[in-house]
Amino acid sequence: MSASHTLSPAMPTTGGRIALVGNPNVGKSILFHRLTGQYVTVSNYPGTTVEITRGVTRAIPGAMIIDTPGIVTFPARSEDEAVTARVLLQDPLQAVLQVGDAKNLRRTLHLTVQLAEMGLPIVLALNMIDEAEARGLKLDPSSIADALGMPVISTIATRGQGMHALVEALKQAPVSSLRLEYPQPIEDFLSESEGLFPPASMSPRALGLLWLAGDRVVASWLAERLTPATLAHLQTMRTECESRLGVSPLDAIQRIREDFIQQVVERAIQRQSTGRPTLQSRLSRLTTHPLGGLAILALVLYALYWFVGVFGAGTLVGLLENHLFDQIINPWITDHIQRLIPWKFAVEMLVGEYGLWTMGATYAFALLLPVVTTFFIAFGVLEDSGYLPRMAVLTNRFFSWMGLNGQAVLPMVLGLGCVTMATMTTRTLPSRRERLLVTILLALAVPCSAQLGVVLGMLAGISFSAALIWGGVVLGVLLLVGWLAARLMPGERAPLVVELPPLRLPVLSNVLVKTAARLEWYIKEAVPLFLVGTLLLFTLDQVHILPWLIHATEPVVTDWLGLPPEAASAFLLGIMRRDFAATGLFHMQNHGLLSPLQVVVSIVTITLFVPCIASIFMIAKERGWRTTLGILLFVFPFALLVGGVLYRLLLLFGWS
Amino acid sequence: MKPTLQKTHENLVQPQPSDERPLADFSTDARVKVRRFGNLPPATLHHLQAYGVLPGREIRVLAQRPLVIIQVEESELALEESVAREVFAEAVQLPV
Ligand SMILES: Nc1nc2c(ncn2[C@@H]2O[C@H](COP(=O)(O)OP(=O)(O)OP(=O)(O)O)[C@@H](O)[C@H]2O)c(=O)[nH]1
Ligand SMILES: [Mg+2]
């Protein structure tokens, strides 16, 4: 109100960055949401977050909160873990908030010790206390706090429990007093190297330990800042330390840490877990059982097909498109626009055959919105149940034919939601080769939400055998191309070691918020492109290029794929977004313009198209433009090739 | 879960240290103590260790097929057989 307020002595500013760091899938993102009110994806599997998000919290004025990808341990193993390592290395941090899983205390402390050694103010949130208690575990946070010299707060992030205490602790977070003594050769290295390191967010001691452990993030960070001579000197010192130790420094360091953790845990655990098999653990066994697991997988896929294909694309689209839009809204709008606007060109542009409203908006809202909504709901439920990583167990063998391991299943399944996002999730894979292979397969053979929903709807309109043919062909292509690509790109295949999160009952609010966030993204990203695409078709039609194009592509569309010539315009849009093409085909099917055989051929072809422009940019960002161009040049002709071959095979076997 | 008298006898008769076997050779639901690692890629080894698969630690074998699934503390890890062959452990003798 008055100027004197702004002139009064400033509050002691606590301004600075607070990084949320912890093992994967322990609740960092949900805590971030609690602190900042800003939604970031929360799902029940390791590797949900693959890049950093920043936000502010009202509870600590001036502070910036940073959500990071989960890290199992240092040195970072994959690109997403490296993102977190870099935050700790070079962001000016006010404090670190470690989020730990209370029921996995040893693993949590394994990271705590490493973070404490970095010399940053630190608070440990022992999260998921509810799950620890449900298993009969009882912990004593104060004894952990004493041993580690840092505040330890019990929290249940899903219920917001412990948030107040957490914020208070963060406001005055101390630097941990923990200091472990390592064997003499290591201590000697640490004191000698101290002066050689450039200033970093973390202590020189932590830098030295990471350097000894062969951390690649630290190595490349140092390489940018030190003279080659200093770097070579550090290298010599490491070799010397190693030969004095007689074992690898990392092993020696780990042993000391583990001995310490053992002592802390013995005092902190007041009651051991009962270890009795719960319903949850029995169900968990069933999902990965060689036979039972496959039965459950089939059930899950069928449920998805039913909910999205039959209910979403069938019932809901039927109501919206055929009843609401075709019979009520569109005639009304067309009528009014024709009466109000005398200019024929404008009328055509809005409500003509390729009208912004009659095609663009109708496709986007009447056909696609119900489909993506049902899909996102079903997918959110699957994500939050913890089922997805279990598919890695069932499909590992399948992926090993492609020189991959079951870990690749997660980005692939996430691709069913959105290939663009899933391309980013390939960061969780350990090697460059695996990331590239999965990127190619994602671009080629993984259908994504909107398109998948439409495809399921079209198949539901024919027969289950059509669905099997489509699924079989796409899966076959995936295997074949994966197998070939793996032969062309030989390299080490990393054996699978993957964490299976506990099965959890999905929380309705999280599923709904997540669905809403995804719908918002969908509307912002896809709908404008739909309108642009429609406008493009309209323009091409007005200047008489479209009929010519349709005629020109007839050898491919009609002769090779056996489709009606009009399908060409759908395929043209498919270059921009393949769900748009799928919608165009869906519309044709709804109006009796495609036979079942034509439906199957056209949707197989369009499934194999590159997903959308956004995904092309994402591939380029993660893999570079040359690779992207190579993928594009391969995918389009290949999709058409498979479509034509399928057409001939189906004819040969007389399927209809 | 309760040890039978017979079992304890067996244990008394042969307290051999060579009870060591790869994880892939235990029956499901066995409680085992990790002894040592065989030949594993360093990245895989350190990953396992970070999850708490360390000599001296007790873990549980939950499944053998299609992959080996173990429980370390309260988390489940799925391992390929090639990895489970290189982690050696001994059965934990249940307290009397
Ligand atoms: N029961 C229970 N579940 C929790 C708690 N905190 C988080 N969760 C669940 O744990 C899962 C993971 O939460 P996220 O916030 O995505 O975890 P994250 O640490 O960000 O995971 P990554 O980004 O994959 O590293 C979700 O299913 C949450 O609902 C808790 O205190 N209790
Ligand atoms: Mg997260």
Side-chain angles (χ1 to χ4, degrees):
Chain A
M1 226 166 58
S2 68
S4 65
H5 274 266
T6 48
L7 289 176
S8 64
M11 294 260 298
T13 46
T14 37
R17 302 181 183 197
I18 300 175
L20 287 162
V21 180
N23 290 144
N25 207 40
V26 295
K28 297 177 294 300
S29 295
I30 195 168
L31 264 178
F32 177 82
H33 176 58
R34 287 268 171 201
L35 284 169
T36 63
Q38 191 175 326
Y39 185 77
V40 282
T41 314
V42 170
S43 296
N44 185 14
Y45 52 80
T48 307
T49 307
V50 291
E51 54 174 10
I52 57 175
T53 310
R54 300 191 174 87
V56 291
T57 176
R58 236 184 270 159
I60 310 173
M64 176 191 273
I65 311 286
I66 306 179
D67 185 25
T68 66
I71 180 163
V72 177
T73 185
F74 295 93
R77 241 169 55 103
S78 50
E79 282 188 344
D80 57 325
E81 292 192 343
V83 168
T84 304
R86 276 193 288 270
V87 168
L88 290 164
L89 197 56
Q90 55 196 27
D91 268 36
L93 295 177
Q94 173 196 330
V96 170
L97 169 52
Q98 188 199 345
V99 187
D101 178 354
K103 64 184 179 299
N104 289 303
L105 190 57
R106 288 188 174 87
R107 170 140 68 99
T108 299
L109 294 181
H110 187 84
L111 196 62
T112 314
V113 168
Q114 302 179 62
L115 293 170
E117 281 174 334
M118 293 181 182
L120 292 160
I122 180 170
V123 174
L124 171 61
L126 266 187
N127 193 31
M128 305 190 171
I129 287 286
D130 56 332
E131 290 197 340
E133 280 173 0
R135 287 164 167 77
L137 259 171
K138 193 150 172 39
L139 305 175
D140 173 20
S142 64
S143 87
I144 306 173
D146 289 345
L148 294 165
M150 63 174 74
V152 177
I153 314 286
S154 306
T155 58
I156 303 174
T158 35
R159 293 183 215 149
Q161 203 165 305
M163 295 305 295
H164 185 70
L166 198 58
V167 166
E168 289 311 309
L170 271 176
K171 281 184 184 162
Q172 37 211 310
V175 171
S176 160
S177 53
L178 180 73
R179 189 189 163 99
L180 297 182
E181 286 294 322
Y182 295 103
Q184 205 53 46
I186 294 181
E187 288 296 338
D188 288 347
F189 171 89
L190 292 175
S191 54
E192 275 169 49
S193 65
E194 205 160 316
L196 298 176
F197 293 124
S201 298
M202 62 174 76
S203 66
R205 189 177 170 83
L207 268 179
L209 287 166
L210 287 173
W211 171 259
L212 279 181
D215 187 297
R216 263 177 283 162
V217 176
V218 165
S220 71
W221 186 81
L222 288 178
E224 282 169 20
R225 286 165 179 78
L226 293 179
T227 61
T230 318
L231 214 56
H233 184 47
L234 278 173
Q235 215 112 31
T236 323
M237 284 166 66
R238 176 165 61 193
T239 320
E240 194 184 310
C241 171
E242 195 162 344
S243 67
R244 275 178 68 199
L245 276 172
V247 291
S248 91
L250 183 53
D251 285 341
I253 294 168
Q254 264 189 0
R255 176 142 320 147
I256 301 288
R257 287 177 181 158
E258 280 307 322
D259 287 347
F260 171 72
I261 290 167
Q262 182 63 27
Q263 292 168 21
V264 180
V265 169
E266 262 165 28
R267 262 174 288 143
I269 295 191
Q270 296 175 334
R271 189 159 15 95
Q272 289 288 342
S273 146
T274 51
R276 244 178 290 138
T278 53
L279 176 69
Q280 197 185 26
S281 66
R282 260 181 240 148
L283 195 61
S284 173
R285 286 289 63 71
L286 192 62
T287 57
T288 53
H289 186 272
L291 288 178
L294 290 180
I296 290 186
L297 181 61
L299 210 66
V300 166
L301 291 179
Y302 188 78
L304 192 71
Y305 165 82
W306 184 87
F307 186 64
V308 182
V310 179
F311 174 69
T315 315
L316 290 184
V317 169
L319 282 176
L320 275 175
E321 197 208 6
N322 300 346
H323 291 97
L324 194 64
F325 272 71
D326 275 8
Q327 289 175 17
I328 303 169
I329 297 183
N330 288 1
W332 187 85
I333 287 191
T334 309
D335 186 47
H336 275 72
I337 284 189
Q338 277 169 346
R339 257 189 294 146
L340 291 175
I341 304 180
W343 201 23
K344 186 163 176 295
F345 178 79
V347 171
E348 277 291 307
M349 187 163 102
L350 290 172
V351 295
E353 189 184 354
Y354 302 106
L356 284 177
W357 179 266
T358 35
M359 185 179 187
T362 306
Y363 277 18
F365 294 110
L367 280 160
L368 276 170
L369 206 59
V371 171
V372 289
T373 308
T374 44
F375 185 85
F376 287 151
I377 291 175
F379 204 66
V381 168
L382 273 181
E383 282 184 324
D384 287 10
S385 69
Y387 179 71
L388 298 182
R390 285 171 166 75
M391 291 173 69
V393 176
L394 297 173
T395 56
N396 187 55
R397 170 159 308 182
F398 182 84
F399 280 99
S400 70
W401 293 336
M402 299 188 270
L404 295 168
N405 72 39
Q407 226 187 326
V409 81
L410 194 70
M412 300 272 242
V413 171
L414 294 182
L416 297 177
C418 171
V419 169
T420 312
M421 298 293 156
T423 303
M424 206 153 78
T425 302
T426 57
R427 287 182 187 177
T428 58
L429 303 176
S431 77
R432 219 185 77 82
R433 176 177 164 278
E434 286 171 301
R435 293 193 285 271
L436 182 59
L437 270 174
V438 174
T439 304
I440 295 175
L441 295 177
L442 274 171
L444 176 69
V446 177
C448 50
S449 54
Q451 180 218 9
L452 180 62
V454 173
V455 163
L456 292 179
M458 292 173 79
L459 292 168
I462 309 174
S463 63
F464 196 64
S465 78
L468 289 181
I469 292 177
W470 170 80
V473 172
V474 173
L475 223 54
V477 164
L478 192 79
L479 261 183
L480 180 75
V481 172
W483 186 82
L484 279 176
R487 295 295 158 299
L488 293 174
M489 271 186 278
E492 280 284 297
R493 173 184 171 278
L496 178 73
V497 175
V498 75
E499 183 190 349
L500 307 178
L503 290 177
R504 296 190 171 112
L505 207 59
V507 181
L508 183 69
S509 62
N510 188 49
V511 173
L512 292 183
V513 173
K514 189 151 59 171
T515 302
R518 285 174 171 162
L519 282 177
E520 184 192 330
W521 155 82
Y522 181 79
I523 288 172
K524 276 191 190 151
E525 172 165 322
V527 174
L529 265 184
F530 267 48
L531 296 179
V532 170
T534 313
L535 207 59
L536 195 74
L537 274 190
F538 171 77
T539 314
L540 289 176
D541 189 43
Q542 288 292 312
V543 297
H544 304 293
I545 293 181
L546 190 63
W548 175 83
L549 262 179
I550 289 179
H551 182 70
T553 50
E554 235 168 71
V556 176
V557 176
T558 312
D559 302 343
W560 175 246
L561 294 174
L563 301 174
E566 299 78 47
S569 53
F571 283 119
L572 281 179
L573 287 175
I575 297 175
M576 207 176 318
R577 275 188 75 91
R578 58 182 178 182
D579 48 345
F580 204 165
T583 317
L585 295 167
F586 190 23
H587 189 78
M588 286 174 74
Q589 183 195 22
N590 276 354
H591 292 78
L593 297 171
L594 292 175
S595 71
L597 189 146
Q598 288 174 324
V599 168
V600 174
V601 170
S602 61
I603 63 177
V604 163
T605 312
I606 206 68
T607 302
L608 298 179
F609 266 36
V610 171
C612 62
I613 291 184
S615 74
I616 294 177
F617 279 103
M618 182 60 84
I619 297 172
K621 178 168 155 254
E622 300 282 313
R623 300 284 99 80
W625 275 107
R626 269 186 44 185
T627 310
T628 314
L629 202 65
I631 292 179
L632 290 180
L633 286 178
F634 165 69
V635 167
F636 286 111
F638 184 77
L640 294 171
L641 176 75
V642 173
V645 171
L646 178 66
Y647 169 55
R648 281 160 184 77
L649 283 177
L650 290 180
L651 275 186
L652 194 69
F653 290 105
W655 186 88
S656 62
Chain B
M1 287 294 289
K2 283 211 178 107
T4 63
L5 212 59
Q6 271 174 328
K7 242 207 178 131
T8 8
H9 272 299
E10 257 174 34
N11 289 340
L12 284 176
V13 178
Q14 22 171 265
Q16 290 176 6
S18 59
D19 270 353
E20 195 177 277
R21 275 178 287 164
L23 284 184
D25 289 348
F26 284 93
S27 59
T28 51
D29 253 351
R31 279 170 42 174
V32 306
K33 187 176 264 183
V34 179
R35 292 283 292 269
R36 64 181 180 89
F37 297 103
N39 191 14
L40 282 174
T44 308
L45 178 64
H46 289 131
H47 200 57
L48 277 176
Q49 291 176 335
Y51 275 101
V53 182
L54 289 160
R57 282 279 196 86
E58 225 179 275
I59 61 177
R60 195 185 274 266
V61 178
L62 297 177
Q64 287 286 358
R65 230 152 257 285
L67 294 181
V68 178
I69 300 179
I70 57 174
Q71 181 183 336
V72 191
E73 291 189 276
E74 293 296 323
S75 36
E76 295 181 11
L77 283 186
L79 317 175
E80 225 166 74
E81 173 159 350
S82 68
V83 176
R85 286 251 155 255
E86 300 296 329
V87 181
F88 295 88
E90 63 181 10
V92 169
Q93 318 190 345
L94 298 169
V96 192

